Amino acid sequence: PPWEVHTEAFDADGAENPRVFFRHIVRGAISPWHDLPLFTGQEGGVWMVTEMPKRTLSMRGIVVSSPLNPIAPTMPYGEVRRYPQVVPWNFGFLPQTWGDPAAVHPLLGARGINAPLDVVEIGERQHEVGEIIRVVVLGAVAVVGYGELSWKIIAIDARDPVAWQMHGVEDLEAARPE
C-alpha cells in the first residue's frame, strides 16, 4: 500500500528542484509508475501520484526513460520550464497505466504518448510532490498534439469535502464554481 512508500529528494549537484525518488519500507527503491497499484481496493477510487502541486509554477513530471521513474523538473532547454501563472489544480499520473504509442485511436487518429495517464485533481488541498492520494475519477479529456494522444483524467481527492457529492464532470460547476 502507498502508506508503506516514502519519497526521497536527491540531486548530486544540490539543485533547487531535486529529483524525487520512491522507496518502499521493505522492497527499497521502486518505480511509482510500475510498482504502485492503480486500484485502491475501495469502490470508486484509484491512486494518483502527484507530480506538480497546485498553486505552483515549475513544471515537473515523471522521467519515463529512467528505470526508477523519478519525478523531476521539466527542463527541455536546460532550464526549468514554468507556467505563466500558478496552476489551480494538482497534476499527477495514474500508476500502472500507459498511453501505447503503437495504438492509433480509431476516432482521433493519434497515438499514445508512451507515458502514464495524466490526472488533473481539482480538490481544495495542495498536495506535495510525490504524494500518493486516493482520487475519485469524474471524467476524462483527450488532448491531441503533434499526432500524440494524451488523456487527462479529471479527478478529485477522495478526502475532499465534496468528493462523494460528485458523480461526474457535470457536477463540477455546482461543486467548484471557481
Side-chain angles (χ1 to χ4, degrees):
W3 53 88
E4 295 176 350
V5 175
H6 67 272
T7 59
E8 296 178 349
F10 173 79
D11 214 309
D13 63 3
E16 174 186 334
N17 293 296
R19 294 172 291 159
V20 175
F21 290 87
F22 292 74
R23 182 169 293 281
H24 187 273
I25 60 172
V26 175
R27 296 179 4 224
I30 64 167
S31 160
W33 183 14
H34 302 295
D35 298 324
L36 292 176
L38 171 60
F39 297 105
T40 64
Q42 297 176 345
E43 188 175 333
V46 293
W47 294 115
M48 169 191 153
V49 179
T50 306
E51 295 169 290
M52 189 176 142
K54 71 188 305 180
R55 296 188 286 276
T56 59
L57 293 170
S58 299
M59 293 184 186
R60 300 180 71 81
I62 186 172
V63 182
V64 297
S65 61
S66 173
L68 292 176
N69 308 116
I71 295 172
T74 304
M75 301 177 67
Y77 305 107
E79 292 192 24
V80 176
R81 197 166 155 204
R82 297 185 185 281
Y83 281 100
Q85 60 188 27
V86 295
V87 182
W89 54 74
N90 294 295
F91 189 81
F93 67 90
L94 297 179
Q96 302 286 330
T97 62
W98 181 50
D100 184 356
V104 178
H105 191 280
L107 297 175
L108 301 174
R111 299 177 182 276
I113 61 166
N114 196 31
L117 299 181
D118 293 328
V119 180
V120 175
E121 191 279 315
I122 54 98
E124 291 180 338
R125 192 171 72 81
Q126 180 181 24
H127 301 291
E128 299 292 325
V129 173
E131 187 173 351
I132 303 163
I133 62 163
R134 184 168 68 112
V135 295
V136 177
V137 174
L138 302 173
V141 175
V143 177
V144 177
Y146 304 103
E148 293 182 322
L149 172 61
S150 176
W151 287 100
K152 307 302 181 197
I153 307 302
I154 311 301
I156 188 167
D157 186 333
R159 297 170 296 182
D160 193 274
V162 299
W164 298 104
Q165 299 167 16
M166 300 177 74
H167 304 288
V169 291
E170 64 277 0
D171 298 324
L172 281 174
E173 193 170 333
R176 289 280 192 270
E178 67 278 2

